[in-house]
Amino acid sequence: MKKNACYRASTTQRWAGLMKTNTTCPYCGTGCGVTVDQAVDGTLTVSGDASHPANRGRLCAKGSALAETLNEDNRLLSPEIDGQQVSWYQAIDHVSRALEETIEAYGRESVAFHISGQLLTEDYYVINKLVKGWFGTANIASNSDLSMSSSIVGHQRAFGTDTVPGCYEDLEAANLVVMVGSNLAWCHPVLHQRILAEKQRRPEMFLVVIDPRRTATADCADLHLAIQPDGDCLLFNGLLAYLASHGKLDEHYLEHHVSGLKDALRAVGDMPMPRLAERLGINLQQLEIFYGRVAFTPKTVTLYSQGVNQSESGSDKVNAIINCHLATGRIGKPGMGPFSISGQSNAMGEREVGSLATMLAAHMELDKPQHRDIVQHFWDSPRIAGKAGLSAVELFDAIADGRIKAVWILGGNPVVSLPQADRIKAALQSCPLVIVSEVASRTDTLDYATVRLPALSWGEKDGTTSNSERCISRQRAVKAPLGDARADWWAVSQVACRMGFRCGFNFSSAAEIFREHARLSASDNHGSRHFDIGACGSFSDEEYQSLQPFYWPWREGRTSVKPVRFFAKGHYRTPDNKARMLPIAAARPGNRDLSDHYPLVLNTGRIRDQWHALSRTGYSPRLSAHLSEPFITMHPYDALIHGIADGDIVQIRSPHAAILMRAMLSDEQTPGQLFAPIHWSDEFASQARVDSLIGSRTDPHSAQPAFKNQAVSLQRFAAHSHGYAMLRHKPDRQLFADVDYWAMTPVIGGWQIEFASLQEARELDTSMAMRLTKSMQPCCIEPLSCLDHANGMRRMAVFEQDRLQFLLFTSETPVPVSRSWSAAQFEALWNQRSTRWRLLAGRPSIDQPDTGRSTATV
Ligand SMILES: Nc1nc2c(c(=O)[nH]1)N[C@H]1C(S)=C(S)[C@@H](COP(=O)(O)OP(=O)(O)OC[C@H]3O[C@@H](n4cnc5c(=O)[nH]c(N)nc54)[C@H](O)[C@@H]3O)O[C@H]1N2
Ligand SMILES: Nc1nc2c(c(=O)[nH]1)N[C@H]1C(S)=C(S)[C@@H](COP(=O)(O)OP(=O)(O)OC[C@H]3O[C@@H](n4cnc5c(=O)[nH]c(N)nc54)[C@H](O)[C@@H]3O)O[C@H]1N2
Ligand code: SF4
Ligand SMILES: [Mo]
């Protein structure tokens, strides 16, 4: 038996008709353990896995709602070629032949993959092996390009390896936690809860948030520095100078384990503190508190996320932070270290497998001949990629200009998530072969697929995933696959076999792939690479099934597997084993593209209860209740000078596109800056894809897009008519094709749609009433309608037998009906016609309470 400290005989247990399975949450990089209970009738309930080291039983709102997002209505159930349903046999045959023909006609570099952090390690492994070992290219644009690549570059430049030095326990052991560009409270809620629980136990623990806007995370902190956008390099350069001038450098650590101090110090200069504070847009006292706290608190962790990574200076921000930790020797020791938090659940796994355009496999490097030899020899592959492939932004440029002729997208929605998103649409439209492996039946990217392949969703998938602290856990299947959905590794292996590569891809299980990945990590390693899970290379299938969360490295013959820290005693993976401090040039904070035409900075990010393009969370009424429409937050001052009131629909324009969102006024924003969430895709709203606004500025070292600092303009959208509809089922978005603004949200009982238009109210009403009625395809519908002459409001209710089918209200002004009350009416039986008119009031009668909102504000 392997010595996995918490190895158990089995993780799926039956008790009194209840089946319990331990698995892992598919959302964020916290990587929480989830226990799924399956009742005899198949009902699934989820709870936090008390034995998982990441969450010890906790779950956030998204994790707790996992069972209700296993929705069966929105699943891609069978393969399709050009919109026609086909068998897997036909699909694999078609894909393999089309790829062969493309390579033959246009060469190996004409084929590319676009993958995301939703995939499991086993999927990545097979894709990486096929692309680099058999196709001989490194064209794998990965989720990391959008999310983690600045951190990867920062790690590699400083440490010589992409190794996160610390672990979650450091966040609890620290006396000072500095959160930079991270809204941990909403994006990694369980980690945030762990920090807050510790702070409650030790109130002297000090929390700092560095973020241009006041977030939920900032609200819980002792100090919030609302620096100007991209002021991070300047702030941390200033900190390094302060530490040096206050005698806080660790001379011993610097002498033995670090190089580059002199150059780094020369680059930071000696800007006086008042000028520094002024440039950063914060007050001097705040800056002094921050620097003073860091200087006098050895146990400091600096945790950072997309406010750092997604910037033109992303890699430099990472190194400016790491410089301060190296100079003080605060790294790899309990409660100390720089800590890059990963975004998607398996973003870290992607890096371990090396399924990026810039890496090889198992932390080996594309440009090292001995690494290429190790991998090619291990794979026994006909060739091996020798140079970096295309990053995500470059990949779609290459599709647009015809260099790439075939792209296979697995687990991503680039039409929503990449900069200049309208160009992504155009690029995909021009690409002869677009294969999309998806779980959902409707996404914006699927519209452009020539081949659609149904993938297993969470709950059906089986494999491993790695979280931000290098902990590898199992995702286990808890239900049978729906339709013809298959694992991504299976689809890719089948295509490879059909292309004649059976020798390398004859995989029959995730366990088999994991064993091979583990053996490769140990191949010719001898301690030279941190990522080594050689102990898993000889697992039996049963051991793989029962594998408990463990941390890497886990070398052959060693016992597993507590969190490991790196670099306390140096041993960096550079030629002289010393870490590198880098000279960081800090540009002036702000946005150099601001102009009279585009005077405001648009910042983008996430909200608490939604996940990316809503393909899962967007179907949950509970999760959608938090913030239910695409919105943009602005300071009341900006609203005032643009003539905008809370709840107005506004147009946000950049040189690339224009979108419509609902205005939310908040003093959490600094004047001159706006914040919009990334979640609303064309599937859920008319024009709310923020990435259509974002330009293609990227970090020169990591190629990561500058998603958080875009110059835009703002104006009120002067709608002539407004509407609100409640439907029993999610309507086809084509119904609203010519309505300027619409957004749909699930509520208990159905779907609600808010809309607004430049059409006259009467026109809008007639066309919406006709379309909605037509979409019912009823056997016998009974409409009821009225025009309220007092306020020009039109009201309509449509029944099919005793059930309400839809409600429609239109008006020249925003529609004041009770949203929650109208949703609740879908549950009722309406067999007495005489009472039906009540519905047209859109609110409860005077003797009934109404707790919900009655206007369309988010
Ligand atoms: N609820 C929810 N949670 C998620 C996700 C989700 O979709 N929904 N997605 C997951 C993924 S993939 C990721 S990558 C993570 C992202 O997690 P986070 O990085 O924490 O989330 P974001 O909202 O993208 O951005 C974080 C903060 O960066 C700030 N920021 C913007 N510009 C700057 C700047 O110049 N400097 C500094 N210091 N800060 C700046 C923004 O104001 C924002 O509050 O979240 C993960 N968790
Ligand atoms: N403006 C702006 N843009 C951003 C960001 C930002 O902060 N601001 N953040 C960036 C970041 S950090 C990220 S991570 C990206 C996220 O961008 P994407 O990764 O493109 O977003 P998702 O909506 O998560 O897309 C994942 C798709 O995979 C499908 N899926 C889920 N599991 C599986 C599976 O096992 N197999 C297959 N084949 N499909 C699966 C889902 O249904 C979903 O449609 O957005 C990036 N874009
Ligand atoms: S914190 Fe992240 S991993 Fe944990 S339950 Fe929430 S979404 Fe899932
Ligand atoms: Mo991400």
Side-chain angles (χ1 to χ4, degrees):
M1 188 172 92
K2 289 277 165 285
K3 297 185 192 70
N4 180 253
C6 36
Y7 179 91
R8 280 199 230 123
S10 171
T11 37
T12 302
Q13 298 162 8
R14 281 175 193 281
W15 289 337
L18 204 69
M19 197 151 81
K20 265 189 184 314
T21 308
N22 283 339
T23 178
T24 315
C25 177
Y27 292 120
C28 84
T30 306
C32 297
V34 173
T35 301
V36 181
D37 291 325
Q38 185 169 17
V40 215
D41 66 356
T43 314
L44 301 176
T45 42
V46 301
S47 55
D49 175 358
S51 68
H52 198 289
N55 56 321
R56 301 172 194 147
R58 295 180 173 97
L59 287 182
C60 74
K62 293 185 299 301
S64 313
L66 270 168
E68 68 199 64
T69 56
L70 295 175
N71 96 72
E72 306 194 349
D73 307 336
N74 175 36
R75 283 295 297 275
L76 186 62
L77 295 175
S78 51
E80 292 171 18
I81 300 175
D82 295 328
Q84 299 301 312
Q85 205 169 309
V86 295
S87 67
W88 268 107
Y89 183 88
Q90 289 167 304
I92 286 162
D93 200 51
H94 176 85
V95 170
S96 53
R97 260 193 293 131
L99 287 175
E100 259 165 17
E101 285 165 14
T102 309
I103 292 175
E104 206 171 294
Y106 303 103
R108 308 186 172 284
E109 300 293 336
S110 67
V111 171
F113 280 65
H114 177 90
I115 60 173
S116 98
Q118 308 274 302
L119 303 186
L120 297 177
T121 296
E122 292 74 5
D123 302 319
Y124 295 139
Y125 182 82
V126 173
I127 295 166
N128 197 45
K129 186 175 179 186
L130 176 64
V131 176
K132 293 185 186 147
W134 269 260
F135 290 176
T137 157
N139 286 340
I140 309 184
S142 63
N143 163 250
S144 292
D145 295 340
L146 310 178
S147 187
M148 303 311 303
S149 52
S150 298
S151 279
I152 298 173
V153 167
H155 287 162
Q156 285 170 335
R157 293 198 299 192
F159 311 146
T161 166
D162 177 26
T163 303
V164 172
C167 53
Y168 293 163
E169 282 172 9
D170 292 326
L171 296 168
E172 289 153 334
N175 294 324
L176 171 61
V177 179
V178 184
M179 290 167 265
V180 196
S182 155
N183 188 5
L184 206 69
W186 280 12
C187 295
H188 299 87
V190 165
L191 267 187
H192 192 243
Q193 286 164 25
R194 280 181 64 167
I195 296 174
L196 292 189
E198 184 60 21
K199 166 122 179 122
Q200 199 164 25
R201 210 176 64 79
R202 286 189 297 126
E204 68 279 11
M205 184 184 191
F206 200 78
L207 307 182
V208 179
V209 168
I210 296 164
D211 193 312
R213 66 192 183 111
R214 205 178 75 230
T215 58
T217 316
D219 283 340
C220 302
D222 299 290
L223 178 67
H224 171 213
L225 301 185
I227 59 169
Q228 282 294 303
D230 287 338
D232 308 79
C233 286
L234 193 61
L235 178 73
F236 282 91
N237 271 359
L239 176 60
L240 183 61
Y242 185 96
L243 293 167
S245 64
H246 286 73
K248 291 294 169 188
L249 304 190
D250 182 335
E251 305 295 347
H252 181 266
Y253 193 84
L254 282 163
E255 188 189 332
H256 291 92
H257 306 306
V258 180
S259 67
L261 172 71
K262 264 198 195 136
D263 287 345
L265 281 178
R266 205 172 301 127
V268 302
D270 53 0
M271 194 182 286
M273 292 269 283
R275 203 156 116 229
L276 193 54
E278 190 233 302
R279 284 227 171 149
L280 290 167
I282 56 180
N283 72 44
L284 178 61
Q285 200 192 0
Q286 286 182 319
L287 189 65
E288 282 172 343
I289 296 175
F290 174 54
Y291 284 179
R293 282 279 173 172
V294 177
F296 292 94
T297 315
K299 284 195 168 188
T300 296
V301 172
T302 312
L303 173 153
Y304 52 93
S305 186
Q306 300 312 343
V308 167
N309 295 335
Q310 289 171 343
S311 154
E312 239 180 328
S313 56
S315 307
D316 282 353
K317 290 185 186 188
V318 171
N319 286 103
I321 292 170
I322 292 176
N323 276 351
C324 295
H325 281 271
L326 291 174
T328 49
R330 296 173 185 170
I331 186 162
K333 299 166 194 156
M336 303 183 197
F339 203 143
S340 151
I341 294 289
S342 55
Q344 301 214 40
S345 56
N346 200 20
M348 185 64 99
E350 197 171 70
R351 291 147 73 176
E352 291 160 7
V353 171
S355 58
L356 280 78
T358 50
M359 287 162 78
L360 187 51
H363 276 206
M364 282 180 269
E365 290 163 42
L366 271 170
D367 57 3
K368 287 199 172 143
Q370 76 272 31
H371 283 178
R372 292 205 298 272
D373 284 350
I374 295 171
V375 177
Q376 188 174 4
H377 182 252
F378 180 87
W379 280 343
D380 197 14
S381 63
R383 54 191 69 81
I384 196 82
K387 64 175 173 50
L390 301 169
S391 70
V393 172
E394 292 164 346
L395 165 61
F396 286 91
D397 287 345
I399 296 177
D401 65 27
R403 278 175 290 148
I404 297 284
K405 304 283 185 193
V407 61
W408 191 341
I409 298 167
L410 298 101
N413 197 351
V415 165
V416 184
S417 55
L418 254 74
Q420 292 199 46
D422 290 344
R423 275 190 56 199
I424 307 293
K425 283 188 179 179
L428 288 177
Q429 205 142 31
S430 71
C431 187
L433 181 64
V434 180
I435 308 154
V436 179
S437 292
E438 245 303 337
V439 169
S441 58
R442 292 267 339 111
T443 73
D444 294 3
T445 299
L446 270 176
D447 288 350
Y448 300 87
T450 55
V451 180
R452 299 171 178 185
L453 300 176
L456 297 179
S457 85
W458 183 84
E460 300 164 2
K461 295 199 276 193
D462 191 64
T464 52
T465 168
S466 299
N467 73 6
S468 302
E469 60 164 352
R470 296 174 268 98
C471 176
I472 298 181
S473 321
R474 290 276 281 106
Q475 250 192 46
R476 296 186 170 87
V478 292
K479 63 194 272 284
L482 276 183
D484 272 343
R486 295 293 187 105
D488 292 308
W489 65 257
W490 181 87
V492 176
S493 306
Q494 289 296 306
V495 166
C497 290
R498 193 69 55 87
M499 291 178 82
F501 312 148
R502 185 165 294 279
C503 56
F505 295 89
N506 197 16
F507 295 114
S508 58
S509 69
E512 206 178 326
I513 302 167
F514 185 71
R515 284 193 287 266
E516 188 177 304
H517 165 55
R519 285 201 304 275
L520 173 55
S521 75
S523 184
D524 279 290
N525 190 328
H526 317 297
S528 63
R529 305 185 304 273
H530 286 146
F531 180 68
D532 183 342
I533 53 167
C536 311
S538 52
F539 270 175
S540 66
D541 286 355
E542 209 233 338
E543 282 170 310
Y544 179 74
Q545 282 316 329
S546 324
L547 181 66
Q548 296 303 304
F550 72 94
Y551 296 82
W552 60 261
W554 187 12
R555 303 201 166 90
E556 178 75 72
R558 299 279 174 84
T559 310
S560 134
V561 158
K562 291 222 170 66
V564 181
R565 294 185 179 88
F566 291 91
F567 310 132
K569 296 191 177 134
H571 305 299
Y572 291 93
R573 291 300 190 259
T574 50
D576 60 1
N577 291 330
K578 286 185 169 184
R580 302 264 177 277
M581 284 180 68
L582 260 68
I584 301 297
R588 192 181 258 277
N591 183 314
R592 62 167 190 271
D593 298 335
L594 293 186
S595 65
D596 290 347
H597 290 302
Y598 300 107
L600 300 162
V601 169
L602 173 68
N603 174 8
T604 62
R606 290 146 174 88
I607 61 172
R608 193 190 67 197
D609 290 352
Q610 293 295 3
W611 182 262
H612 297 167
L614 307 184
S615 66
R616 255 182 307 219
T617 49
Y619 291 83
S620 156
R622 178 152 60 119
L623 295 177
S624 300
H626 175 219
L627 289 160
S628 57
E629 264 182 86
F631 67 91
I632 181 144
T633 331
M634 64 193 69
H635 192 275
Y637 171 78
D638 288 322
L640 187 73
I641 57 176
H642 286 87
I644 291 166
D646 202 24
D648 275 354
I649 296 166
V650 293
Q651 185 183 60
I652 309 108
R653 185 177 281 283
S654 83
H656 312 289
I659 63 172
L660 295 175
M661 294 180 139
R662 213 172 270 283
M664 192 148 106
L665 273 49
S666 163
D667 65 1
E668 290 165 357
Q669 289 297 133
T670 302
Q673 298 177 25
L674 312 171
F675 176 82
I678 59 174
H679 304 294
W680 276 269
S681 61
D682 288 350
E683 188 53 26
F684 289 84
S686 51
Q687 308 173 48
R689 281 177 309 125
V690 288
D691 275 327
S692 61
L693 301 179
I694 306 289
S696 52
R697 282 195 285 124
T698 53
D699 176 297
H701 309 288
S702 69
Q704 194 161 338
F707 279 126
K708 293 193 158 22
N709 191 351
Q710 172 67 44
V712 295
S713 68
L714 177 71
Q715 78 182 97
R716 185 168 175 274
F717 176 72
H720 296 154
S721 52
H722 298 260
Y724 164 72
M726 259 295 303
L727 282 84
R728 189 171 284 282
H729 301 291
K730 183 171 184 286
D732 190 320
R733 62 185 161 145
Q734 290 309 328
L735 282 179
F736 306 95
D738 58 354
V739 178
D740 300 281
Y741 174 86
W742 59 263
M744 55 176 99
T745 315
V747 291
I748 293 170
W751 283 76
Q752 71 176 37
I753 300 99
E754 301 284 352
F755 47 94
S757 169
L758 292 175
Q759 299 172 60
E760 295 306 319
R762 187 209 297 250
E763 239 177 274
L764 178 72
D765 184 69
T766 315
S767 70
M768 286 319 303
M770 258 171 52
R771 285 180 219 182
L772 291 179
T773 312
K774 230 168 143 186
S775 75
M776 298 283 107
Q777 297 177 335
C779 43
C780 61
I781 61 156
E782 293 177 51
L784 190 68
S785 64
C786 76
L787 168 63
D788 196 335
H789 286 285
N791 55 13
M793 193 160 130
R794 293 172 163 75
R795 302 154 188 263
M796 184 176 193
V798 169
F799 300 84
E800 188 177 351
Q801 292 167 356
D802 295 338
R803 292 283 178 180
L804 178 60
Q805 289 302 329
F806 73 80
L807 280 171
L808 173 67
F809 300 86
T810 55
S811 164
E812 281 160 20
T813 50
V815 172
V817 301
S818 165
R819 270 58 176 168
S820 54
W821 182 83
S822 32
Q825 307 319 307
F826 282 75
E827 301 288 300
L829 267 185
W830 292 93
N831 43 10
Q832 293 203 12
R833 286 196 173 73
S834 60
T835 58
R836 288 180 176 180
W837 62 268
R838 278 193 206 146
L839 274 170
L840 300 184
R843 59 179 64 254
S845 50
I846 236 116
D847 55 342
Q848 289 172 23
D850 177 30
T851 48
R853 63 194 173 84
S854 61
T855 50
T857 50
V858 275

